[in-house]
Amino acid sequence: SDEKAPVFHPRGSMARAAAALALVVALALPTATALIPRLLRFAARRPPPRPVQPSTRQSLSTQPRAGDETLQDVTLEHLTEVKEDGRWLNSMVTKWLDDEFTAMDVHGEIGAEVERIYVAERKAGTNDLTGLLLAMGAKLEQLDMHDAYVNGWDVANNVADYLMVRMQRETCACSAQPPEDCAGKITVGPKDVKKALREYDNDLARYKLAVEIADGSADWRMVNAVCAVMVGFRVCESDGSLIRDKSCTPEEWADLEGVPDMSDCRDVSLDERMERAFPVDPELREGLDMYAKTVIGEGLYAFLNEHGNQGDRRRLCIVRWLHQLSFQEAWPPVGSIPSVPRDD
């Protein structure tokens, strides 16, 4: 028979087990709720990719970019301090693994191997991200990771993401212009809002969305649809149009004329509106930061806050804002309904 056997991803099974364990913890140990976000984050991660030829492999980076650019179009030539970048990758990978799971010696060994492979590949002339990622994944598969909760391709994918962030710092930090991926012009309609109401009706789906917003892989149309509901837009029962329910509109969004386009980083008023919802109390604000660190990892969170561009900061702001409005706990927002009659 020509029918291929299904591919078994051990990480996928572990993710399902983590999700089930999160539910058990929630039901059996109400006082241990601090464990749940980490379990859900583990469950939300994608299965490790299978190695394929560079000509067919699509972009693995979670950084949004304009057009159909793939990793093989991304050059590493801007990263000229090879040894320094290798040491940085070592610390970032080790920090990510320690934050994601728990501190273990094997995490330091993985970080050191990432540094060694990166420096060796760059010295050998590997200057494109695809070539580096494939070499990194293949060589990390040879490393003994039996004590870790990741495999070589998980690590290689994160290395690609970190390098994209690193290159944004090297090439864009001095630019006053917003990045192309934040050009805006993404509108939503009633169908998008209805889809968002369906897709995010469970805790895990909402947590996954927060992860995807933070790492840049989220669909901006769905992000805008979720944010539209959060600021009071509803689908009219009578004619199916999208209208504002003023009773569900937060005060800081009351004067907004239309659905906000959260991908438009040129509109800094959106950040100001979101930040107005944040608590004044430093301890409560720190709680929002802790949630965002849980979503994206403490090391990358700190790096994006310090070196990220406007797009990075916008995504982190959205994650904190949604958490402040209890997006994770209730969907649609408490006190609202999926659709409302038109108020003529």
Side-chain angles (χ1 to χ4, degrees):
S1 172
D2 294 333
E3 184 177 354
K4 295 182 179 180
V7 177
F8 173 70
H9 288 299
R11 186 62 185 268
S13 297
M14 292 173 69
R16 289 190 293 272
L21 181 56
L23 294 176
V24 171
V25 170
L27 294 173
L29 299 172
T31 60
T33 54
L35 296 174
I36 296 175
R38 184 158 294 187
L39 291 167
L40 290 176
R41 174 165 167 74
F42 179 72
R45 296 187 64 82
R46 293 180 287 275
R50 294 176 61 81
V52 298
Q53 294 301 316
S55 60
T56 60
R57 186 174 186 83
Q58 296 298 313
S59 170
L60 293 175
S61 172
T62 58
Q63 294 294 322
R65 297 188 297 278
D68 296 323
E69 184 181 35
T70 60
L71 287 188
Q72 63 205 70
D73 300 315
V74 179
T75 178
L76 301 173
E77 293 176 353
H78 294 291
L79 301 179
T80 57
E81 301 297 327
V82 173
K83 290 185 178 180
E84 180 182 338
D85 292 332
R87 288 192 293 269
W88 179 79
L89 286 172
N90 183 340
S91 64
M92 290 297 287
V93 168
T94 303
K95 181 69 172 174
W96 158 55
L97 292 170
D98 285 347
D99 290 344
E100 184 90 354
F101 306 103
T102 187
M104 294 191 294
D105 291 341
V106 69
H107 295 164
E109 296 170 8
I110 294 171
E113 184 65 3
V114 164
E115 177 182 353
R116 186 193 69 77
I117 294 171
Y118 176 81
V119 173
E121 286 296 319
R122 291 300 308 280
K123 287 185 175 180
T126 302
N127 285 322
D128 65 283
L129 197 50
T130 296
L132 179 71
L133 186 146
L134 293 176
M136 182 75 66
K139 291 182 179 180
L140 285 174
E141 282 193 317
Q142 302 172 21
L143 181 67
D144 184 1
M145 294 188 186
H146 66 278
D147 289 333
Y149 295 99
V150 294
N151 63 32
W153 290 102
D154 290 323
V155 177
N157 274 318
N158 267 33
V159 168
D161 292 341
Y162 290 142
L163 287 173
M164 290 297 293
V165 172
R166 187 75 161 174
M167 285 186 288
Q168 281 188 342
R169 191 193 80 172
E170 296 292 339
T171 62
C172 301
C174 297
S175 173
Q177 295 297 322
E180 289 183 359
D181 58 86
C182 289
K185 300 180 181 178
I186 299 177
T187 59
V188 299
K191 290 184 179 179
D192 300 310
V193 170
K194 288 180 178 179
K195 182 178 179 182
L197 290 168
R198 291 193 306 269
E199 289 198 1
Y200 304 116
D201 65 349
N202 65 83
D203 292 344
L204 181 56
R206 293 193 293 275
Y207 192 85
K208 286 177 64 177
L209 179 64
V211 172
E212 290 166 357
I213 292 173
D215 69 22
S217 63
D219 179 351
W220 275 112
R221 188 172 299 279
M222 284 294 94
V223 175
N224 282 350
V226 166
C227 292
V229 174
M230 300 302 291
V231 300
F233 283 91
R234 303 290 182 264
V235 178
C236 178
E237 290 178 341
S238 58
D239 60 11
S241 63
L242 197 61
I243 62 174
R244 172 73 68 83
D245 182 355
K246 295 181 180 180
S247 67
C248 299
T249 301
E251 181 180 353
E252 57 271 13
W253 299 89
D255 62 341
L256 190 71
E257 295 183 358
V259 176
D261 181 3
M262 307 305 279
S263 73
D264 184 0
C265 294
R266 293 180 175 88
D267 187 356
V268 295
S269 69
L270 299 178
D271 303 277
E272 294 169 356
R273 291 176 189 272
M274 287 188 285
E275 289 173 1
R276 268 185 272 166
F278 295 168
V280 177
D281 188 301
E283 291 187 2
L284 295 178
R285 289 184 73 97
E286 185 179 354
L288 289 181
D289 293 335
M290 288 299 296
Y291 173 77
K293 291 174 184 178
T294 301
V295 167
I296 198 173
E298 186 172 353
L300 186 54
Y301 175 83
F303 181 84
L304 292 179
N305 261 333
E306 183 176 355
H307 302 292
N309 58 31
Q310 177 61 20
D312 299 323
R313 290 188 290 272
R314 167 64 60 80
R315 294 196 305 272
L316 293 180
C317 188
I318 293 173
V319 169
R320 295 195 296 266
W321 176 67
L322 289 176
H323 186 63
Q324 174 65 21
L325 296 187
S326 302
F327 172 67
Q328 185 62 48
E329 288 75 27
W331 180 252
V334 175
S336 67
I337 54 176
S339 59
V340 295
R342 179 177 291 281
D343 185 12
D344 295 325

